[in-house]
Every structure is written in C-alpha cells, then in structure tokens.
Amino acid sequence: MNRRHDFARLEREFITSQVSLRELCRRHGISAHSLVTVQAKKGKWAEKREAYHQKAGDAFIEKHADRMADRQAAISD
C-alpha cells in the first residue's frame, strides 16, 4: 500500500463500478491522475473489470433462465 493512497481500495472500486479513473481520482481527492493510471495499467484493472462484469452478467442470465424455467414448469403443471 502506498503511504498516501490505498490502491487496493481504488482498484476494488474501479473494478466493481463503471467509474472512470479520472472520476475515481476526483472522488478520492487525488490530483495525480497519472499516478493512478500507472497503477491501473500495472495491475491490469481494466481487464479485471471486464472479467468481473462478464461474470456478474453471466450469473444474472443464469438466474433469470432458472426463474423462467420454473415459471414454465408451473404453467405446465
């Protein structure tokens, strides 16, 4: 962890939301946007975000499909 910035916290927030790096810096009062950009590139935050949202989307689709199958089964009965 950096003495001034909690990059783990910033990474979690970036990955689990749709906020841009610039907005993330504004929210946390970080004026050195480039510092966060470097950390994001090193840590592959964008790739992690994509994987996180893909997994969340897949889980939603699966849950929705299960609900629809249950409805169809109830209608058939």
Side-chain angles (χ1 to χ4, degrees):
M1 181 171 97
N2 185 285
R3 289 188 313 241
R4 296 186 64 208
H5 306 296
D6 184 354
F7 288 116
R9 180 176 174 206
L10 294 171
E11 179 181 9
R12 270 191 314 276
E13 186 174 339
F14 179 79
I15 290 170
T16 60
S17 69
Q18 291 297 326
V19 68
S20 69
L21 287 174
R22 286 191 187 275
E23 179 60 27
L24 188 66
C25 290
R26 278 190 210 108
R27 288 182 184 182
H28 292 275
I30 300 170
S31 60
H33 171 263
S34 60
L35 179 66
V36 176
T37 300
V38 168
Q39 290 298 315
K41 285 182 182 179
K42 280 184 185 178
K44 299 183 180 183
W45 294 6
E47 291 87 346
K48 290 177 182 177
R49 174 190 260 183
E50 182 66 32
Y52 175 85
H53 287 284
Q54 181 65 43
K55 187 176 179 181
D58 291 346
F60 173 79
I61 291 170
E62 186 175 329
K63 186 175 181 179
H64 181 70
D66 288 345
R67 268 191 267 137
M68 293 305 292
D70 290 345
R71 282 186 186 167
Q72 286 297 101
I75 291 170
S76 296
D77 291 341

